[in-house]
Each structure stands twice: as C-alpha cells, then as structure tokens.
Amino acid sequence: MGSCVAPAFANTYMFEVEHHAFFSDSNTASKIPFFTRYIDDLFLIWTGTEQDFNILMTAINTMESTIKFTYQMSSQSVNYLDVQISVTNGKICTSLYKKATDRNTILHANSQHPNSTKRGLPFSQFLRIHRISDDIVNAEREINDMMKQFMLRGYKYGDLVKAKERALAIPRSRTLIPSGDRQKRLGDCIPFVQQYCPASPHIVKTVKNLWPVVTTDPELSMLKNTKVLASYTRNRNLKDWLVKNDVSNTKKVGPITFLTRKAGCYRCTGCTTCSFMEYENSRFHASKPRRLTPAWNLPIDSLNVSTVLLCPLLLACKPCLRIEILVNATGLPKLHGFDVQGLETSTNTFHSFSISKKKSPKINLWQVQYDCWTVAHGQYIYVTLSTKPNYGVPVSKKYYIANMDAKPRFQFQHLAEEKRFEVSIPQGPDVYTRLCYQYNICDDLPDSPKKLLNASMNASLPYQHLLPCLCIEVFNTCRDSRRKKICPFQDHPEPYAAEMLNVSVQEIWHYTNTMMVTFINPCGTVPEVSFCMKENENCITVPDAIVERVDTEYYLASVDRDPHLCFKFTLLNNTLIKCPGGRDWNINMKKQLFDVRLTVSSNVTASFSAVICHQDQSTGHCHPQSVIYNVSMVGKEVHWSLPIPDIGSCIEVWRSDVRYAHKYLICSFDFSHKHLGLVVLATVVVVFMLILLLFLSYQRIWKIFTAPLWRRTILLVYSPDSAEYRNLICVFADLLQSILGCEVILDLWDMNTISQIGMLPWFYQKRELVTQRKGKVMIVWSKRSKTMYEQWRSRKLNSMGWKDSNNLFGAAMSCLQKDFEVVKENEHLQEYTMVYFEGLCNKKDIPKSLRKISRYRLFKDLYRLVSKLQDTTCLSPPCLIKAVAKYLIKKLISSEKSQGLKKNIELCKQKLLEEVT
C-alpha cells in the first residue's frame, strides 16, 4: 500500500465513497441487508433484481472518476478475499478460495527469520483454513494440501503435523471470536527492536537475563514488573541491494510545491523575479561540475504490443510478438536509442534487445516496429521500454498471448423480454464479444458494437430484431484469433420468419407504371413473391402476374399505384402483404338533375373508364349494364357525364391504360334529390312526436306524485314488537312522509317530548292535533297487537310489553275505546285506518270489535290506501304500486337483519309482482 498511512487513508476515502454510493438513497439501502468491506474489497447481499444492481453499478462507475468497481454477482457462489461463499439448501456455506494463478510463495524454512516466526507460520495458516471452512472434512483436505506446499519449502513433516493437531483442537466457534486488544494482551512489555541476524537470539537471551539488574537502578524504577519483548525489523535483502528506486541519472532538483508541476524552476503568478527567469531543459549541479536533466516520463502510448503470425516457407505458423515504438523526442537532443526487456512467465525466460541509431541527423519522431520475438501461446508477457540515456520512468505493459487456434469458452443467457443476451466467460484473459447475422460471413449488427468481456463482469448484448441467423461471437483480443460462434435459433427458424419478413421488406415505390420493392434479408433467405389484389379483408393472388427479380429488387410492370394492389411475400409458411401508401388519382361525383358528373384529378398522364353496373351482394362483383365510357387526361383534371343509374345500381371507375388496376364503385343512388326532402321532413315529424309524448308522460307522472294531500297528518300506532319490527315501522313512516308527502307523527321520532310529559299526555295531544287537521290515526296491526289487545280487554297487564311506561299501544286502545262509545254501532270510525303487512299478520288476527275501522292489506291494497289518504280516484294503480313498492322493499331489505323477517318481505314482494302482472 506504499507508506504506512496509506491503509488508513484508503479506508477513510472508501468509507465516503461507499456511503455516497450505497447508503445515500434510502431505496437502495433498503435492498442491502448486509454490507462489509476490507479496504477496497466489498461484499454485500442484494435483495433487488439483477437489472437494478447492474444499473446501480453503472451509475457508481460514472460517479467517481478515480474509482472504478468491478463486481461478481451470483445467486449460488461468490469469492471474497480468500473465502468462497456459497448457498447450499438455503444455508450459507464458506470454504477456502485460491486463485488459479496462486503460487507457492511460503517463507522458506532456511530463510534468515526468527525461529518463532517459522514455527508459527504453519499454525497460523492451518488455523486460517479451520476458521474459513465450515466443513471439517473440507478443512482437513485443504490443510493436507497446504502441508505439501510447506514441505516443498523445506519444513519438517513432524512440525507440520503438530501444528495441524494444535489448530484443529481449537473449536471453530472460538476462532470466529475476534481477539482482544493487542495492548492488553502484551501487558507491561518493553519492546526491544533490532534488525534480525543469526546472533539476535543470543542477544535477546542476554538482555532478558540481565533485565532484573537494569530495573534495580533507582532512576529506572518505572521499569519494575516489566518484561522484554523481542521485536525485529526486516533487514535489507537481495532485492534492496540490486534494485534502485530512482532509475534517473539525476538527483532531485528541489522540493516540489503546488506551484511546480514537475522537477525544475518555473515562473510563479507574477513576482519581480519572474521577469528575469529563463526556461532551461537542464542546469548545473550545485557542487559537481556537470549538468543535470530533469526527469522525463515516456507516454503510456509510446509502447504498443500485439501478436502476429510468423509463417516461414513450408513451415507451420508460429505466434510472434510485435513491438511498436512511437516516441516524440523533441527536447531530448541526446536520445540515441531504446532498450526493450521482456519476460515470458511460462518459462521464466528473459529477453532484451537495444535499438540504436548510427550517426545521422537529429531525429525528433522515433517510429520502430519489431516482429522478431517468437513466443508460445497461453502465457503472459511483460515488456518494458526505456530510453538511452535513461530520461525517466520506463513504460511497462502486460500482454497475454492467446492461442489463435483455440476458441474461447463462454456461456450466454437469452433475456427475451429485454431483447438482449447476457454473455459470461470463465477465468482467463479478456475477450471480445458481439452479435452478428450469419450469411456468407457474420455481419455486424448496426446498433450492437463489440464489447470487451472478462471473468469479473458480464457483457450485455442488445438487439432490435430476433432473426434465425442471429449469432453470438466471442474471440480473443489479439489479431487473427479464431472466433467461436453460436447461433441458437438457426435450427428452428420457423417462429422467427415473420420478424425476418418485417425487417427485410422495404417500402414500395412506383416508376413509370412499374411497382418495385427492395428485399434485403440479413440471413440471405429468398422468399416467394407474388402480386395480389385486396378484396374486403383478403388479398387475392393474380395468377398471370409474374413478378421479376433483379438482385434484391422485385418489380412488376403496367401496375396502377393503389393501396389495393400489393406484393405478397411468403417465407417458411409465413406471409407478409406489402402495399403502397396512396394512389396517383382521385375521383369526385356530383349528382345533377338529369345526369351524374364525374371529375378525375391525377398526378400522372392516364386514361380512365367507367360503366354502370349492378353489384352482386353475395360475391361483391359488379355486372355491367351499359356501355363503357372512356376518357383520357388532358391536363390535371378530366370531366365526363353519365346517366343517373337506377336504384340499386352503381358506377364502376378504373384506370384503363395499365394492365393491373383497382376498380372503384360509386353506389350512392338509392334516393333521388326529390325523395330526400320527404325523408328529412318525416324524420323531423317523428322526432317532434317523440318529444311531445315524453313531455306529456312527464307531466302525468309529476301530477301523480305531486297531487295535493287533503289529509296529510298521520298518527302511527303500533304494538311494541321486536327491534326489527320497529325498523319496519320507521321505513313505512318514511315512505308516507317522503314519497306521499304526508306529515307523519311517530313516537320513535319524538322521544325527548315523551320522556318529559309521558306517553299518555303526548298521545292525547297528538290525537287532538290530528282531529284539528282532519288527519288519520293509522294503526299498524300484527299478531303481537292481537295478543296485547286480548290482554288489554281481559285486564291481564302483567306482561313485559305493558310494564313499559312509554307503551303507545295502551294509550291508543284507551282513546279508541272512548271513540267507540260515542259512535253508532254500524258506523265506521272515519278518522281511524288499520293496515297490516301480508306475511306478518292475517285478516283473522283483527278482532271483530275493530272491524268497523277501514282495513288495508299491504302491499296489495296500497293503491286503495293512497286513494283514501288523498281523497281521489285518478291515480294509476300499476305505476304507483311499482314505484312505491320497489322503494319500500329496497328500504326493508337494506335495514332488516332478521332472517325470519326477510322471508316475510320476500313473500310480500312475490305476491306484489303477481298482483302487478
């Protein structure tokens, strides 16, 4: 990571990046239930869709220019650091992950390191495997494999077995617990730091033995009860002795500040000294008699590495590494060549060569191509370019030599709804992938360029049209490499033939009475093309019309331009009919007193014909009934007159100077101009009569419902039955008040007054009011009323109904008894009316002593009841009964909850319908 502060700085910077990228949006953060990071390696669990995650990563990569994320996403298994995380049977499992390019770089047993380090190294590695693997069998297998690597590095088998047993003896749950603070574990230890050498153990032993003597010094009393901890720093190794960090031939010119972009002396923002400064490419050393040249970096694009095939005569071709150098040497007068160094990783072979110029004029632009480095495929090559003399940091590039005969492996997934392919490859070098249409060669799709693909990120290849020749092609990045191609729809092209016809057929155009169309098929399939005429919804093929073909053009001569004249394309049992968008001429008709005047306007010079005919309704053909009238164009319009056809006849018009033309029918001759006035007059009279009839009906209905009520005040009396029966009384009272316009007096609507003065005074008061207004006392009778009346007559008033202080029925019976005493025996009580609901009460339930009162059965006698209340006989019984009965039934059904009462209401409804019909 460079300096010691680099990890802390990287952690701080990545914390800001991850917070802004993943957790600034609450919607995105809600889809991440788990998130962790180790410096710049992230691991998270995503609950959204794969498409949403791809969109998120694309947005993140465009958000921060200095940080680019590559990611691996899978619903089965992913690799994070040295852990392979997989999902098995709904459970998260972990195991050790090793890269395919991992090498045995374990510290050698003979290395000059402390023995404690070499003893603890196997134990720490075995413990790491034990902690990562959740399966003990898998952990032991990985530990055994690592033991072989340790033995190859000189470690003893017995020491490795002891380290293995020691690591496996620790429970795995304990290994997952983080260790405590290092300072607490060290305790009061004084670190003794030194560079390690073979004598270091003896020095440490001596210091520890003499440490008690040191602590006896009074000035070092704070060191009592402390221990010595041996600590070592790395000594210089062979690399430190042989490799120089600064490859330039100069020393640093001076401190670089924000005002200086590179080594050297430059003008600032404009001080007094700036006017006396001069720019130089070099300067004299401060103490040595020589000039120093500032460091100069080679551009990254000055070195280009590629692969070509070297094919000697009569010998097999071999891959050859091509090195191209392009350097602008302006300002470097002493540049006289380059050094090129290369390393083959498969054989660990080192190559180097120099490129120098002979004595010649100064060269400012160097352009060199070197093709003589023969290499083996399937390996990485490291190439480094430096200048002679060395002016700065060299350019290094890593290049993979792909096997040109080997085709790359890949997998793909077809996302039909999104119209794209998702392509992925296993571990290996980067490759290119693209979509193409397979014909003689695989032609590129216009909107789908090739994309770079690697193992860490899939490539998405969109397409516009799904054709049977659509193929996926993958090839290496080197030149002339072999390509692997898969055409998933080529074996079953029938389902995609319709799409292929829509893509291939172009628009129809006309030229000198010739109809032409272009058919460009990316798959190279040739269709069957014919000429047809549209009739109704079908296009009938014309047998004698032969469509000619020239390359990709199809044409037919002597054809009128008309939307009814079309080309029919047939391919793999799929048909496409292509017709032109308009025609070159139009016809207008004007009916006159004695003839029909036709006007034809045309954009082309043409001849036209017309005939009076009779149309056959079954076949649609028109049979001529007159001679054919011909006319030729003179200018842009032509006029001619025809006799007025009979009723049921038509005029057929067509273009006669071409072989194939559509015939148009004009059939609007069923009525002459004299008959049209009569039709309009009759229509106006009928509409007026309908409006008048509706107006009179409306007035009649309005009079029925707004007829004056001479006895509008009604006092309702009922027996205290169930709560459902009280709801029925309220609905009936609402009917009388809202529909018939009566003023209804009901104790349930005036409970506040009853609670203050009592039921009996309230009833006598309301009874007096009814008498003054010449209203009615309406008794609603039921079986419960019969029982309470018999109890009232026999003075058995011990039931629950009579114990109610607000008993309306008892007050009504007392008042009714007095009214009976003042009338004659055969006279009816005119101010009293009795109603009962059919199904809730029978006529026999009414006592004989009360049969002097007028009785009405609801709903059968509803008409008589209304007539009685209004003192009129001009009502329409069916209409009124229907309207009022439907309203009452709707109210009853919506308010009642008792199943028994609902049955009675349905019975009343059924009888009402029988009465109306």
Side-chain angles (χ1 to χ4, degrees):
M1 294 292 291
S3 64
C4 58
V5 76
F9 181 78
N11 275 321
T12 304
Y13 184 77
M14 287 302 300
F15 174 79
E16 293 295 331
V17 171
E18 74 184 29
H19 178 75
H20 182 65
F22 296 99
F23 301 103
S24 60
D25 184 16
S26 59
N27 186 25
T28 303
S30 62
K31 299 178 182 179
I32 306 177
F34 179 80
F35 182 92
T36 187
R37 175 180 57 81
Y38 179 76
I39 303 180
D40 59 345
D41 293 317
L42 286 71
F43 175 80
L44 59 90
I45 297 177
W46 179 261
T47 59
T49 62
E50 182 177 354
Q51 181 180 2
D52 292 342
F53 188 77
N54 292 332
I55 295 174
L56 174 64
M57 294 307 300
T58 303
I60 293 174
N61 284 332
T62 57
M63 175 186 64
E64 188 69 30
S65 59
T66 59
I67 298 294
K68 300 297 179 184
F69 288 92
T70 59
Y71 61 94
Q72 178 186 4
M73 179 172 56
S74 174
S75 59
Q76 300 296 330
S77 175
V78 293
N79 302 322
Y80 179 67
L81 299 178
D82 59 345
V83 183
Q84 184 178 26
I85 306 170
S86 59
V87 179
T88 304
N89 297 327
K91 180 182 178 182
I92 297 179
C93 302
T94 58
S95 60
L96 183 66
Y97 169 69
K98 294 182 293 185
K99 294 183 179 179
T101 59
D102 191 15
R103 296 182 297 170
N104 189 1
T105 58
I106 299 175
L107 182 68
H108 200 278
N110 297 329
S111 177
Q112 187 173 330
H113 280 74
N115 293 330
S116 59
T117 301
K118 292 185 284 188
R119 287 194 306 268
L121 186 60
F123 169 74
S124 62
Q125 293 299 314
F126 298 160
L127 187 64
R128 178 176 67 92
I129 298 174
H130 183 38
R131 178 173 58 251
I132 292 175
S133 300
D134 57 355
D135 186 8
I136 186 62
V137 177
N138 187 25
E140 290 185 358
R141 182 174 65 252
E142 295 291 343
I143 290 176
N144 292 333
D145 292 341
M146 185 163 285
M147 288 176 64
K148 297 178 183 179
Q149 297 182 14
F150 273 106
M151 293 175 66
L152 292 176
R153 302 295 289 175
Y155 288 81
K156 296 181 181 180
Y157 178 75
D159 296 338
L160 297 177
V161 172
K162 292 179 181 179
K164 173 184 175 181
E165 294 176 351
R166 179 185 169 192
L168 294 178
I170 301 175
R172 183 173 180 268
S173 58
R174 182 180 173 185
T175 62
L176 299 176
I177 301 174
S179 57
D181 189 7
R182 179 177 177 84
Q183 186 64 32
K184 293 182 180 180
R185 290 188 286 110
L186 294 178
D188 296 332
C189 294
I190 302 298
F192 177 52
V193 183
Q194 58 177 323
Q195 284 188 347
Y196 185 79
C197 64
S200 295
H202 304 286
I203 297 175
V204 172
K205 184 177 180 181
T206 302
V207 171
K208 288 183 177 181
N209 292 334
L210 299 177
W211 187 251
V213 179
V214 175
T215 57
T216 57
D217 190 344
E219 296 183 359
L220 300 177
S221 59
M222 75 287 298
L223 298 180
K224 288 185 178 180
N225 300 324
T226 59
K227 298 180 181 179
V228 176
L229 178 65
S231 302
Y232 302 101
T233 59
R234 185 177 66 86
N235 206 341
R236 299 191 68 182
N237 55 21
L238 189 61
K239 176 181 177 182
D240 297 331
W241 288 103
L242 297 180
V243 179
K244 296 175 63 177
N245 291 331
D246 187 5
V247 298
S248 65
N249 60 350
T250 61
K251 295 183 180 180
K252 293 184 179 180
V253 176
I256 299 177
T257 66
F258 68 94
L259 295 176
T260 58
R261 298 183 179 178
K262 58 183 179 180
C265 187
Y266 299 92
R267 293 177 181 176
C268 64
T269 56
C271 63
T272 306
T273 310
C274 288
S275 59
F276 300 98
M277 294 183 63
E278 295 182 357
Y279 290 111
E280 292 184 355
N281 293 327
S282 62
R283 68 176 181 85
F284 281 100
H285 196 276
S287 59
K288 298 180 181 179
R290 62 186 179 92
R291 294 186 69 88
L292 299 178
T293 303
W296 178 78
N297 297 332
L298 281 170
I300 190 65
D301 56 353
S302 61
L303 176 64
N304 186 23
V305 183
S306 59
T307 307
V308 294
L309 288 179
L310 180 63
C311 301
L313 185 63
L314 302 178
L315 295 177
C317 296
K318 296 181 179 179
C320 182
L321 195 68
R322 169 174 289 176
I323 299 175
E324 297 176 337
I325 303 173
L326 182 62
V327 176
N328 187 359
T330 303
L332 303 175
K334 294 185 178 181
L335 179 65
H336 61 270
F338 299 94
D339 289 330
V340 179
Q341 299 174 346
L343 177 65
E344 296 186 38
T345 57
S346 61
T347 59
N348 203 21
T349 303
F350 179 77
H351 299 265
S352 66
F353 60 90
S354 298
I355 300 172
S356 303
K357 71 171 181 176
K358 298 181 180 180
K359 293 183 179 180
S360 61
K362 180 181 178 181
I363 300 176
N364 288 331
L365 182 63
W366 287 73
Q367 188 171 2
V368 182
Q369 180 174 312
Y370 181 81
D371 293 340
C372 303
W373 185 355
T374 304
V375 293
H377 57 73
Q379 64 172 334
Y380 283 98
I381 302 293
Y382 293 90
V383 181
T384 302
L385 174 67
S386 59
T387 59
K388 296 172 59 178
N390 196 343
Y391 283 102
V393 179
V395 176
S396 298
K397 288 193 175 182
K398 178 182 178 182
Y399 184 74
Y400 182 78
I401 308 297
N403 187 359
M404 296 189 178
D405 294 331
K407 298 180 180 179
R409 296 179 300 163
F410 70 95
Q411 301 86 29
F412 70 92
Q413 182 181 4
H414 182 208
L415 305 176
E417 295 181 356
E418 303 177 12
K419 301 185 75 172
R420 65 184 180 92
F421 289 91
E422 194 79 15
V423 184
S424 61
I425 60 172
Q427 292 290 341
D430 295 351
V431 297
Y432 284 117
T433 180
R434 65 166 186 157
L435 292 179
C436 59
Y437 289 134
Q438 176 64 32
Y439 184 25
N440 294 327
I441 60 174
C442 210
D443 297 326
D444 289 334
L445 268 68
D447 299 330
S448 181
K450 67 178 182 180
K451 294 186 178 181
L452 189 64
L453 178 63
N454 53 49
S456 62
M457 184 170 62
N458 300 341
S460 178
L461 301 178
Y463 61 87
Q464 292 294 332
H465 307 287
L466 185 58
L467 304 184
C469 60
L470 183 63
C471 303
I472 307 170
E473 193 175 66
V474 178
F475 51 95
N476 292 315
T477 56
C478 60
R479 295 181 181 179
D480 303 327
S481 62
R482 299 192 64 182
R483 304 189 175 196
K484 185 174 182 180
K485 178 174 55 183
I486 296 179
C487 304
F489 315 109
Q490 197 170 21
D491 295 336
H492 303 283
E494 291 83 5
Y496 315 102
E499 182 75 12
M500 184 162 52
L501 287 175
N502 291 328
V503 174
S504 304
V505 179
Q506 309 299 318
E507 294 296 329
I508 293 178
W509 78 95
H510 280 253
Y511 180 73
T512 62
N513 297 331
T514 300
M515 186 167 69
M516 294 178 285
V517 68
T518 303
F519 185 86
I520 303 176
N521 189 356
C523 302
T525 309
V526 179
E528 179 183 348
V529 185
S530 59
F531 177 73
C532 64
M533 293 186 178
K534 279 190 175 181
E535 293 183 5
N536 298 329
E537 296 181 356
N538 300 321
C539 197
I540 308 302
T541 304
V542 180
D544 59 343
I546 300 176
V547 180
E548 302 292 338
R549 177 192 176 194
V550 177
D551 197 9
T552 60
E553 307 290 337
Y554 293 86
Y555 67 93
L556 180 64
S558 189
V559 183
D560 184 22
R561 183 172 179 265
D562 192 276
H564 296 82
L565 306 179
C566 312
F567 279 130
K568 180 187 292 185
F569 295 84
T570 304
L571 180 64
L572 299 176
N573 298 325
N574 287 270
T575 302
L576 175 66
I577 297 175
K578 195 70 174 181
C579 305
R583 58 178 180 172
D584 295 327
W585 57 278
N586 292 310
I587 185 169
N588 295 319
M589 181 196 67
K590 184 177 181 182
K591 293 176 289 183
Q592 299 182 358
L593 185 60
F594 300 105
D595 59 2
V596 176
R597 184 178 178 85
L598 300 178
T599 301
V600 178
S601 58
S602 176
N603 298 327
V604 296
T605 302
S607 299
F608 299 91
S609 299
V611 67
I612 298 174
C613 60
H614 179 74
Q615 187 179 14
D616 188 352
Q617 299 296 333
S618 60
T619 61
H621 297 287
C622 201
H623 304 286
Q625 294 179 337
S626 67
V627 297
I628 298 176
Y629 302 89
N630 299 315
V631 68
S632 297
M633 291 293 301
V634 178
K636 294 293 184 179
E637 290 186 355
V638 64
H639 308 274
W640 82 93
S641 299
L642 278 72
I644 296 178
D646 298 332
I647 296 177
S649 298
C650 304
I651 296 179
E652 191 173 47
V653 183
W654 70 95
R655 186 176 169 185
S656 57
D657 62 326
V658 293
R659 185 177 180 183
Y660 305 103
H662 178 70
K663 297 182 178 181
Y664 284 88
L665 290 178
I666 303 174
C667 300
S668 58
F669 307 103
D670 293 340
F671 298 97
S672 65
H673 62 283
K674 296 181 179 180
H675 297 139
L676 292 176
L678 296 177
V679 173
V680 173
L681 179 60
T683 304
V684 171
V685 172
V686 171
V687 172
F688 177 78
M689 295 300 294
L690 289 176
I691 295 175
L692 181 60
L693 181 60
L694 293 175
F695 178 76
L696 295 177
S697 301
Y698 172 79
Q699 281 192 335
R700 179 65 175 171
I701 296 173
W702 180 257
K703 287 182 179 180
I704 291 174
F705 285 98
T706 59
L709 297 179
W710 302 106
R711 299 176 183 268
R712 295 180 181 273
T713 305
I714 297 176
L715 175 61
L716 278 181
V717 178
Y718 62 96
S719 58
D721 286 18
S722 61
E724 291 81 2
Y725 187 77
R726 293 181 181 178
N727 290 337
L728 177 61
I729 296 300
C730 292
V731 173
F732 181 63
D734 184 66
L735 166 69
L736 297 174
Q737 182 166 306
S738 59
I739 300 300
L740 300 180
C742 301
E743 181 183 3
V744 180
I745 301 174
L746 184 62
D747 61 329
L748 297 176
W749 294 353
D750 198 11
M751 293 303 296
N752 291 333
T753 307
I754 295 175
S755 62
Q756 295 176 3
I757 64 176
M759 177 56 74
L760 191 60
W762 177 86
F763 182 81
Y764 277 92
Q765 180 183 351
K766 298 302 179 182
R767 175 67 180 84
E768 186 67 21
L769 180 62
V770 170
T771 303
Q772 293 176 2
R773 297 182 180 180
K774 297 181 180 181
K776 291 284 187 180
V777 178
M778 187 177 293
I779 303 174
V780 184
W781 199 262
S782 65
K783 292 184 178 181
R784 175 67 174 171
S785 303
K786 177 185 177 182
T787 303
M788 295 188 66
Y789 179 77
E790 293 175 355
Q791 293 175 357
W792 179 77
R793 291 290 301 272
S794 59
R795 296 296 185 267
K796 296 179 179 180
L797 306 179
N798 297 325
S799 62
M800 293 299 296
W802 293 105
K803 293 181 180 181
D804 187 3
S805 60
N806 296 329
N807 185 4
L808 175 64
F809 189 80
M813 291 299 102
S814 302
C815 182
L816 183 63
Q817 183 67 23
K818 294 180 179 180
D819 291 339
F820 266 77
E821 295 175 356
V822 299
V823 299
K824 296 181 180 180
E825 183 177 357
N826 295 327
E827 291 180 354
H828 291 280
L829 298 174
Q830 298 297 326
E831 294 182 357
Y832 286 86
T833 301
M834 182 174 294
V835 298
Y836 61 95
F837 291 95
E838 187 175 10
L840 301 180
C841 179
N842 296 324
K843 187 175 182 181
K844 297 179 180 180
D845 294 331
I846 301 175
K848 295 181 179 181
S849 57
L850 300 180
R851 292 181 184 178
K852 296 179 181 181
I853 304 174
S854 300
R855 302 178 301 276
Y856 301 92
R857 181 177 61 179
L858 299 179
F859 297 101
K860 181 178 180 181
D861 299 332
L862 181 61
Y863 167 68
R864 293 195 307 110
L865 175 61
V866 175
S867 300
K868 184 66 175 178
L869 294 177
Q870 297 186 348
D871 290 337
T872 181
T873 58
C874 62
L875 298 176
S876 178
C879 296
L880 182 62
I881 291 176
K882 285 183 180 180
V884 176
K886 286 182 179 179
Y887 172 83
L888 185 58
I889 290 171
K890 181 179 179 181
K891 281 283 189 177
L892 294 177
I893 293 177
S894 61
S895 61
E896 298 303 327
K897 297 179 178 153
S898 174
Q899 295 297 327
L901 190 56
K902 282 186 179 181
K903 293 181 181 179
N904 295 331
I905 293 173
E906 291 295 329
L907 180 61
C908 295
K909 178 181 177 182
Q910 181 178 0
K911 292 186 177 182
L912 172 62
L913 294 176
E914 293 175 357
E915 188 69 18
V916 172
T917 55

